[in-house]
Amino acid sequence: MHGEYKVPGGKLVVVDLDVEGGALRHVRVAGDFFLEPDEAILAIDAALEGAPANTDTAGLAARIDAALPASTVMLGLTSEGVAIAVRRALAHATEWSDYDWQLIHEPPQSPALHMALDEVITAEVAAGHRPPTLRVWEWASPAVIIGSFQSLRNEVDPQGAERHGVTVVRRISGGGAMFVEPGNTITYSLSVPDALVSGLSFADSYAYLDDWVLGALGEMGIKAWYQPLNDIATEAGKIAGAAQKRVVGGEGAVLHHVTMSYDIDADKMLEVLRIGKEKLSDKGTSSAKKRVDPLRRQTGLPREVVIERMIDSFRARHGLTRGAVTEAEMARAEELVRTKFSTEEWTARVP
C-alpha cells in the first residue's frame, strides 16, 4: 500500500507498507523533508512496524514521538504528518496527480446560480460524470452568502441589504456569512472525489485542499497559512474563509469553496452583516474592519492578474484543462435556483 501527504506549509511524506495479520508490516517512510539525526528515520519505521492497522492518527503519531531520539529535529515533517500518510495508504487514497483536472471560469452569474452550480457540479463528480473541477466564480451582483445552519435574522440586517441592493442566499455548506461584491471578491470551488481526502480528518482536509492556494499566494509574495478550522491568514490579517460539504452518491465527493477578499468596503459590510462582539472576540480584535486584510493591498496586483496567477499555479502543480458547465448541468442548476436557492423556504430555513 502506498500513501502520500504533503504537510501544510511543509514537505511531502511518502509511506509504503503492507498489512499482515491486522498489523502494519514492512513500513518504509520517505520524502523530501529534513530530519536529524539520520537514524531517526529508522526509528520512525520501527515505531510503525507491527502497529495494529486500525490505530488512528493520534495513536500512530504517539508511537512515533515515543520512539524518536531526544535530539531529533524535523523540518517540513511532523509525526502527525507521517501518521496521516499511513492512514491514507490504508484507505487507498488517491493523489492530485491521479486526476485530469478541469477548470470552469465563466462570465458573471447570479448568487443563487452559483449556489446551485456548486451542488450540481459536485454531485456530477460524485457520480463519476465529470472530472475533479476547479471553478472560479464571477459575481453578477453583490451578495451575502450565509452558511447552511446560520440564522438569517442573526446574520443579516435586512434594511442594510435592501439599501445596498445585496442579495441574500444560503449555501449548502456550513460556516459563516460572507459579504461579496463584484470586483472585490475572489471565490473558487473545488469539487473533488472523496478518495482524494480519504484518511484525512475533516479538519485535515481543509488544510490539504487549501495548500495549493497557499503556494500560489507565496508566489505573489504573500506569506499565508492555514488557520484552523477554515481561515487563510497572513500577518496582516485574514484574507479568506473556506467551507465544505460532503456529497453522497456514487463514489462520493467533497465540495470545498473559498472566498477571498481582494478589496472590501468595510463600512458597507457592517451595514449589511450583523457581526457580534462574541464573534469578534475570538479573532483577537475589537473592530470588524481589522478582521480582513484585502489582497489588493497585499499584492498591488489587479484582481484579474491575481486570479490568472492562481490558476497558473494550480495548473503547474496538478495540471488543468479548460472546461465548461454542460447544458445538462446548467439546466439542473437553473431548476435548483427556481425550486430551492431563490426560495424563502430555503433562505430562511433557519429564520
Side-chain angles (χ1 to χ4, degrees):
M1 299 177 185
H2 179 87
E4 298 184 6
Y5 179 64
K6 187 180 182 300
V7 176
K11 299 293 186 177
L12 181 68
V13 182
V14 181
V15 175
D16 291 286
L17 57 84
D18 297 318
V19 175
E20 297 175 358
L24 308 186
R25 299 297 180 192
H26 315 122
V27 181
R28 293 294 179 268
V29 175
D32 59 355
F33 48 79
F34 300 91
L35 180 63
E36 296 288 348
D38 283 354
E39 55 266 27
I41 191 68
L42 300 178
I44 293 173
D45 291 345
L48 295 170
E49 190 72 21
N54 61 358
T55 308
D56 64 12
T57 298
L60 293 171
R63 290 175 69 105
I64 294 169
D65 289 336
L68 287 172
S71 60
T72 298
V73 176
M74 293 180 171
L75 295 175
L77 175 71
T78 64
S79 298
E80 183 184 25
V82 176
I84 290 172
V86 171
R87 294 307 315 169
R88 284 177 59 75
L90 293 168
H92 301 285
T94 56
E95 309 299 332
W96 295 83
S97 59
D98 292 331
Y99 300 104
D100 295 322
W101 292 86
Q102 186 172 112
L103 169 68
I104 294 176
H105 188 193
E106 299 189 336
Q109 293 161 323
S110 72
L113 184 57
H114 279 305
M115 303 303 107
L117 284 170
D118 261 358
E119 180 170 323
V120 169
I121 288 171
T122 307
E124 290 294 282
V125 172
H129 296 158
R130 75 154 33 247
T133 301
L134 167 65
R135 184 170 73 91
V136 180
W137 305 20
E138 296 294 345
W139 294 93
S141 61
V144 166
I145 306 96
I146 60 175
S148 182
F149 310 108
Q150 288 189 295
S151 163
L152 177 61
R153 70 165 67 98
N154 288 348
E155 298 299 327
V156 182
D157 183 313
Q159 287 76 33
E162 183 178 3
R163 184 164 60 252
H164 293 292
V166 173
T167 301
V168 181
V169 291
R170 185 183 295 274
R171 61 180 184 267
I172 61 174
S173 63
M178 307 299 294
F179 172 72
V180 304
E181 293 183 286
N184 283 358
T185 307
I186 297 173
T187 306
Y188 68 86
S189 301
L190 282 171
S191 297
V192 307
D194 187 66
L196 183 65
V197 296
S198 291
L200 300 178
S201 68
F202 190 83
D204 287 334
S205 69
Y206 273 86
Y208 186 69
L209 295 176
D210 280 340
D211 191 66
W212 74 274
V213 81
L214 300 185
L217 292 170
E219 292 164 6
M220 288 181 271
I222 299 176
K223 183 181 179 181
W225 59 86
Y226 162 73
Q227 184 169 296
L229 169 67
N230 61 333
D231 288 348
I232 297 174
T234 70
E235 292 180 354
K238 173 182 172 180
I239 59 173
Q244 286 187 6
K245 174 68 176 179
R246 263 58 177 176
V247 175
V248 298
E251 297 299 319
V254 177
L255 168 65
H256 179 92
H257 42 202
V258 175
T259 295
M260 311 178 77
S261 173
Y262 172 73
D263 203 353
I264 191 166
D265 186 332
D267 291 324
K268 186 184 296 184
M269 179 183 72
L270 291 178
E271 292 181 28
V272 175
L273 293 182
R274 302 187 192 276
I275 302 178
K277 292 181 179 180
E278 184 174 349
K279 182 180 293 186
L280 295 176
S281 66
D282 70 354
K283 304 296 181 182
T285 177
S286 60
S287 171
K289 296 182 182 180
K290 296 179 181 178
R291 291 181 64 204
V292 178
D293 193 73
L295 284 170
R296 180 178 180 178
R297 191 192 67 79
Q298 294 199 52
T299 65
L301 298 171
R303 175 181 176 274
E304 294 74 15
V305 173
V306 173
I307 292 174
E308 181 181 355
R309 292 193 180 182
M310 287 172 57
I311 292 172
D312 287 346
S313 184
F314 189 102
R315 182 180 290 112
R317 284 172 169 78
H318 308 305
L320 194 62
T321 302
R322 188 77 185 223
V325 178
T326 68
E327 290 185 6
E329 289 169 341
M330 183 60 73
R332 175 60 180 147
E334 289 173 343
E335 175 68 10
L336 282 175
V337 169
R338 186 183 66 82
T339 60
K340 180 176 180 179
F341 290 104
S342 64
T343 67
E344 183 71 12
E345 181 181 11
W346 170 256
T347 305
R349 74 183 187 110
V350 183

